[in-house]
Amino acid sequence: MSVASIFRWHDGKLVPLEYCDMTDSSITAADSWVVSEGKALALGLHRERFLGHTQGAEAFWDAAIAVIPTTGDWFPRVEQLSHGRLVLRLRTAPERHRAAVLATWNGADPRTRPTVKGPDLDAMSRIRSAVQPQGATEAVILSDDGYVVEGAYSGLLWWRGDILCGPPAEFPRIDSVTARSALTLAAALGLDTHEEAVTPSELEGTELWALSALHGIRIATAWIDGPELAEKPGRLGIWRARLDAVRKAI
């Protein structure tokens, strides 16, 4: 079970809170990442994403980074609330997994601001919970035309041979830092990357990854009432190790 300490930004410093009542506010922007033994993956991209949707939060960000312990496993989250308050939740990292089971979310798209992390966190939690009785651990959001967009809490990438593929950039979705890091690493290794609009059935026989800051790369072992998926032996382990290797001290 994760444990959290809550801080709010007040008069230019972080102030610990014994209790934080969020009933009169909503999240307008948020970001989270794993810090393991003082190292994080692509922290600069998380900073860029969060500050891109907030105003005047640079000093808050720097102060938040400064209080994260450099030992142990942590999963901090920074938030900007609707009334302007800036909050840090310093959380211990929950259990992480190497695999995911997917299910298509068949209801209306619950996202109100699909390119901003934060406003739709509760909605994403609801749709993920809705597919859990089917045995799934992640819900997949489709476009109005039935194309794969993203998971409730993850970016999605898949392999066609040695080509790493993902949804088109024009599909409105969260800019997954972990997916972006994997694609950048693939290009650096001389591998081809490709964007394509696909329906679930068109992913039949592919190796499909669900990527997030918490879990890193997870392989989708099944898609309930969806395509049959594959796994190239050893590839997941190699890529999880590659992302671990490029983590840097915070």
Side-chain angles (χ1 to χ4, degrees):
M1 178 180 296
S2 62
V3 178
S5 298
I6 303 174
F7 302 82
R8 72 181 178 96
W9 188 241
H10 180 69
D11 288 341
K13 60 183 179 181
L14 289 172
V15 179
L17 294 179
E18 296 295 330
Y19 171 73
C20 191
D21 184 0
M22 301 298 185
T23 57
D24 62 343
S25 62
S26 58
I27 299 174
T28 59
D31 221 299
S32 53
W33 59 94
V34 166
V35 178
S36 183
E37 299 301 324
K39 293 184 177 182
L41 174 67
L43 187 58
L45 294 181
H46 285 284
R47 180 183 188 276
E48 177 185 292
R49 187 171 66 178
F50 181 68
L51 296 183
H53 297 294
T54 58
Q55 291 186 342
E58 290 84 357
F60 162 71
W61 175 275
D62 292 342
I65 299 303
V67 302
I68 300 171
T70 55
T71 58
D73 292 338
W74 300 88
F75 189 47
R77 188 167 87 188
V78 289
E79 302 172 355
Q80 178 179 264
L81 306 181
S82 54
H83 48 53
R85 179 183 293 175
L86 294 165
V87 171
L88 165 67
R89 297 179 184 273
L90 184 57
R91 310 173 294 184
T92 55
E95 184 180 2
R96 285 165 279 174
H97 303 281
R98 71 174 298 278
V101 175
L102 309 182
T104 304
W105 168 246
N106 291 312
D109 189 340
R111 301 173 302 166
T112 60
R113 298 186 66 191
T115 63
V116 182
K117 184 177 177 67
D120 298 316
L121 286 173
D122 287 345
M124 296 300 98
S125 179
R126 287 194 296 271
I127 69 169
R128 185 175 65 178
S129 296
V131 301
Q132 286 175 346
Q134 304 175 49
T137 56
E138 178 65 306
V140 178
I141 297 171
L142 306 182
S143 70
D144 291 341
D145 296 324
Y147 295 120
V148 172
V149 178
E150 65 179 345
Y153 283 103
S154 59
L156 299 174
L157 299 175
W158 52 92
W159 289 92
R160 296 201 184 276
D162 291 325
I163 302 173
L164 185 57
C165 305
E170 60 266 25
F171 282 9
R173 65 186 188 278
I174 301 297
D175 183 12
S176 166
V177 168
T178 311
R180 189 171 164 185
S181 297
L183 288 166
T184 299
L185 184 54
L189 292 169
L191 298 174
D192 289 332
T193 62
H194 178 62
E195 294 181 359
E196 59 177 353
V198 295
T199 62
S201 64
E202 291 172 322
L203 292 175
E204 184 82 21
T206 65
E207 180 171 330
L208 177 60
W209 288 353
L211 304 95
S212 66
L214 175 59
H215 300 289
I217 304 172
R218 288 180 294 170
I219 190 162
T221 55
W223 189 320
I224 296 169
D225 295 328
E228 292 290 330
L229 302 173
E231 178 177 358
K232 182 178 179 179
R235 179 156 57 188
L236 178 67
I238 290 170
W239 277 83
R240 285 171 66 91
R242 283 172 173 166
L243 285 189
D244 282 342
V246 296
R247 293 180 182 273
K248 295 181 179 179
I250 61 175

